[in-house]
Amino acid sequence: MGTVSQLHERVRPLAHRIQSDEEALEIARSLAARFSQQASDRDINRVLPYEELEALSQSGLLGITTPSEHDGLDISNSVLAEIIAILAEADPSIAQIPQNHFYILEALRIDGSEEQKNFFFSRALAGDRFGNAFSELGTATAGQYNTRLTSDGLGFRVNGRKFYSTGVLFADWIAIFALNAQDDLTMSLVPRGTEGIQIIDDWDGFGQRTSGSGTTILHNVYVNADAVVLHHKGFERATTIGSVGQIIHAGIDLGIARAAFAETVEFVKTHARPWTDSGVERAADDPLTIARIGQIAIRIEAAAAMLERAGKKIDIAQINPTEDDVIEATLAVAAAKTLTTEIAIEASNTLFELAGTSSTRIGLNLDRHWRNARTHTLHDPVRWKYHIVGNYHLNGVIPPKNWTL
């Protein structure tokens, strides 16, 4: 990877090297406490979290999925999902930014060459951030591509326009997904400062406002041959690429649900008034409110348990990627993702249901939890996860192999 490494100049110190799952969780909690302090202000004023992302890089968390044979911790996927949930409870925009980072590293683990793995895993361990240039607008369906990778001497050129480029604003490396001459999907890893890359901060969604999910324009960008991964191969056989990406999304939704629930409990305890017919003096003593709080708490706990179970299923499938084990992981992650999606929306709705009209004041910015839940859960439709799970159990139809599963 010498030709690639010469293009990338590091300016930050090497990241901390995390030694255990417990240390990773403790670091995540420490970062979350810091990130939560200004999360509402960042959302209101759309202040992009550059300093927070530098702290995340230095913490060592971005290297925790690096395989042990490449000197990494190779953390359990259930712990990875919980770390993401911890960060998302503090600020789900920040938690979404490394989702693509970990997806890219899993794609490298599955289909990267040994040279690519050695180089890019070392960069992840050093604290480098990987962002994506994946999704496009204007195609007939989601998941289709107009971006092309064409031969140019010993390397390639890539041209195209990407949207929802989450993480690119903060990235050291950009993973460009494009079709080659054979119409196969490729992933090219290029330094962010490569000539011909234009990044536009035009994300204007009402939720996940500081995730930096804007536009990336690729104008005749040169790509070294040794920086190209044949990404399509990861979906021609049973792999865990999609499951790893999806469990991280589920972790983000779980964190949003936890944040909304915590706000609900605090507001009901300290500000909400009981309903006139309740016969109690405190909203926290209203039996219907108590029952609803219990209901949300139980569903959050159930979603967390499903997430942990799904992570363990992925662990098994990574070690032994048979068709059966990968299907088990796929179905478990789909189940977890449906539950976390639903509880994120339900918990953020319940916040206003129980806290009352005063909770809608703009200055409180409590609506950010609903906005974040509604925006992030649109990433891929859970209605299709129900269909896929049902079709497998009823008709024996194996789940399709793609990045949404």
Side-chain angles (χ1 to χ4, degrees), residues 10 29 74-75 93 175 198 208 306 312 314 341 375 404:
R10 283 194 51 80
R29 295 185 189 103
D74 200 9
I75 203 163
S93 285
Q198 181 184 4
Q208 297 296 92
M306 286 295 295
K312 292 177 180 177
I314 299 174
T341 290
T375 299
T404 67

Short mmCIF file of all heavy atoms in Angstrom, two decimals, residues 10 29 74-75 93 175 198 208 306 312 314 341 375 404:
data_model
loop_
_atom_site.label_atom_id
_atom_site.label_comp_id
_atom_site.label_asym_id
_atom_site.label_seq_id
_atom_site.Cartn_x
_atom_site.Cartn_y
_atom_site.Cartn_z
N ARG A 10 -0.49 12.20 8.16
CA ARG A 10 -1.11 12.23 9.48
C ARG A 10 -0.65 13.45 10.25
O ARG A 10 0.50 13.86 10.15
CB ARG A 10 -0.74 10.98 10.26
CG ARG A 10 -1.51 9.74 9.82
CD ARG A 10 -1.34 8.63 10.84
NE ARG A 10 -1.66 9.13 12.17
CZ ARG A 10 -2.88 9.28 12.63
NH1 ARG A 10 -3.91 9.01 11.88
NH2 ARG A 10 -3.09 9.74 13.85
N ARG A 29 -18.35 5.25 27.91
CA ARG A 29 -19.14 5.96 28.91
C ARG A 29 -18.53 7.33 29.23
O ARG A 29 -19.24 8.33 29.40
CB ARG A 29 -19.27 5.13 30.18
CG ARG A 29 -20.05 3.83 30.00
CD ARG A 29 -20.25 3.11 31.32
NE ARG A 29 -20.80 1.78 31.12
CZ ARG A 29 -20.09 0.64 31.19
NH1 ARG A 29 -18.80 0.70 31.50
NH2 ARG A 29 -20.67 -0.52 30.98
N ASP A 74 -10.49 -7.12 18.30
CA ASP A 74 -11.50 -8.01 17.72
C ASP A 74 -12.69 -8.14 18.68
O ASP A 74 -13.10 -9.23 19.06
CB ASP A 74 -10.91 -9.38 17.41
CG ASP A 74 -11.75 -10.15 16.39
OD1 ASP A 74 -12.67 -9.55 15.82
OD2 ASP A 74 -11.48 -11.34 16.18
N ILE A 75 -13.25 -7.02 19.03
CA ILE A 75 -14.26 -6.95 20.07
C ILE A 75 -15.53 -7.70 19.66
O ILE A 75 -15.86 -7.81 18.48
CB ILE A 75 -14.59 -5.47 20.38
CG1 ILE A 75 -15.17 -5.31 21.79
CG2 ILE A 75 -15.52 -4.87 19.33
CD1 ILE A 75 -15.13 -3.89 22.29
N SER A 93 -26.07 11.67 16.52
CA SER A 93 -25.37 12.09 15.32
C SER A 93 -23.92 11.63 15.36
O SER A 93 -23.38 11.13 14.37
CB SER A 93 -25.43 13.61 15.15
OG SER A 93 -26.69 14.04 14.71
N ALA A 175 -14.38 5.81 1.45
CA ALA A 175 -14.69 4.57 0.73
C ALA A 175 -15.69 4.91 -0.36
O ALA A 175 -16.84 5.22 -0.09
CB ALA A 175 -15.25 3.52 1.68
N GLN A 198 -14.95 16.61 -4.02
CA GLN A 198 -15.60 17.80 -3.47
C GLN A 198 -16.66 17.36 -2.47
O GLN A 198 -17.57 16.59 -2.81
CB GLN A 198 -16.24 18.63 -4.58
CG GLN A 198 -16.92 19.90 -4.07
CD GLN A 198 -17.63 20.68 -5.17
OE1 GLN A 198 -17.69 20.23 -6.32
NE2 GLN A 198 -18.18 21.84 -4.83
N GLN A 208 -30.84 14.00 13.20
CA GLN A 208 -29.43 13.64 12.97
C GLN A 208 -28.72 14.79 12.26
O GLN A 208 -27.97 14.60 11.31
CB GLN A 208 -29.34 12.35 12.16
CG GLN A 208 -29.93 11.12 12.83
CD GLN A 208 -29.20 10.74 14.10
OE1 GLN A 208 -29.56 11.19 15.20
NE2 GLN A 208 -28.16 9.93 13.99
N MET A 306 -32.20 -8.32 22.88
CA MET A 306 -32.17 -8.81 21.50
C MET A 306 -30.89 -8.37 20.78
O MET A 306 -30.31 -9.11 19.99
CB MET A 306 -33.39 -8.30 20.75
CG MET A 306 -34.68 -9.01 21.11
SD MET A 306 -34.67 -10.75 20.64
CE MET A 306 -34.61 -10.62 18.86
N LYS A 312 -23.95 -11.78 19.53
CA LYS A 312 -23.32 -13.09 19.74
C LYS A 312 -23.50 -13.99 18.52
O LYS A 312 -22.62 -14.78 18.18
CB LYS A 312 -23.90 -13.75 20.99
CG LYS A 312 -23.51 -13.02 22.29
CD LYS A 312 -24.17 -13.64 23.51
CE LYS A 312 -23.76 -12.90 24.78
NZ LYS A 312 -24.44 -13.45 25.97
N ILE A 314 -23.63 -12.90 15.46
CA ILE A 314 -22.65 -12.42 14.49
C ILE A 314 -21.26 -12.96 14.82
O ILE A 314 -20.51 -13.37 13.93
CB ILE A 314 -22.64 -10.89 14.42
CG1 ILE A 314 -24.00 -10.34 13.99
CG2 ILE A 314 -21.55 -10.40 13.45
CD1 ILE A 314 -24.08 -8.82 14.04
N THR A 341 -35.94 -0.01 16.34
CA THR A 341 -36.64 1.01 15.55
C THR A 341 -37.94 1.42 16.23
O THR A 341 -38.23 2.62 16.42
CB THR A 341 -36.94 0.49 14.13
OG1 THR A 341 -35.72 0.38 13.40
CG2 THR A 341 -37.87 1.43 13.37
N THR A 375 -35.74 10.24 11.87
CA THR A 375 -34.80 10.34 10.75
C THR A 375 -33.94 9.09 10.62
O THR A 375 -33.82 8.52 9.53
CB THR A 375 -33.91 11.58 10.92
OG1 THR A 375 -34.73 12.76 10.94
CG2 THR A 375 -32.90 11.69 9.80
N THR A 404 -28.38 -4.36 3.72
CA THR A 404 -29.46 -4.03 4.65
C THR A 404 -29.78 -5.17 5.60
O THR A 404 -30.69 -5.05 6.41
CB THR A 404 -30.75 -3.65 3.89
OG1 THR A 404 -31.26 -4.80 3.21
CG2 THR A 404 -30.48 -2.55 2.89
#
